[in-house]
Amino acid sequence: QVQLVESGGGLVQPGGSLRLSCAASISTFVNYAMSWYRQAPGKERELVASITGAGGNTNYADSVKGRFTISRENAPKTVFLQMNSLKPEDTAVYYCNARRIVGYQFDSWGQGTQVTVSS
């Protein structure tokens, strides 16, 4: 019912930028709040950014606020994470998450894309 495919990860130098994309196969996209999570080696998965179904509100982890921007579009159905001023501590596997916010609530996850920030 829900399929999420991340792309755009890679190796960048500190201070560089990347834009992650999450292609969403969701019938009623507006019914899902979308988020990006990340998991670094030896650490738990953490919420990086989220955006409401209509795209009117966004939230960010303190560690990325001012550097990352989450957005979504409907044609095609995609969630983006623009990452600027990248730091080595941003190195992680980044996962796209879809949470249904209408009716029965459940989460769906993509397979992740690796982001490595290193000089």
Side-chain angles (χ1 to χ4, degrees), residues 42-83:
K43 299 183 66 176
E44 296 183 354
R45 188 173 298 188
E46 64 175 348
L47 176 65
V48 176
S50 61
I51 186 167
T52 54
N57 290 289
T58 58
N59 285 285
Y60 300 91
D62 289 341
S63 60
V64 307
K65 209 163 190 175
R67 299 188 297 121
F68 291 10
T69 303
I70 188 171
S71 60
R72 64 194 292 166
E73 66 180 27
N74 296 321
K77 298 169 183 175
T78 313
V79 182
F80 302 98
L81 185 67
Q82 178 66 48
M83 305 185 295

Side-chain angles (χ1 to χ4, degrees), residues 10-44:
L11 174 65
V12 296
Q13 294 185 334
S17 298
L18 282 175
R19 189 178 78 158
L20 305 183
S21 298
C22 173
S25 296
I26 298 175
S27 58
T28 309
F29 196 36
V30 71
N31 288 348
Y32 292 80
M34 304 298 296
S35 299
W36 287 95
Y37 287 74
R38 68 185 181 188
Q39 187 165 22
K43 299 183 66 176
E44 296 183 354

Side-chain angles (χ1 to χ4, degrees), residues 4-11 18-23 36-40 45 48 79-81 83 90-97 109-117:
L4 307 173
V5 180
E6 301 97 333
S7 62
L11 174 65
L18 282 175
R19 189 178 78 158
L20 305 183
S21 298
C22 173
W36 287 95
Y37 287 74
R38 68 185 181 188
Q39 187 165 22
R45 188 173 298 188
V48 176
V79 182
F80 302 98
L81 185 67
M83 305 185 295
D90 295 319
T91 296
V93 177
Y94 284 71
Y95 298 91
C96 183
N97 169 272
W109 297 89
Q111 293 300 305
T113 184
Q114 176 71 48
V115 172
T116 302
V117 185

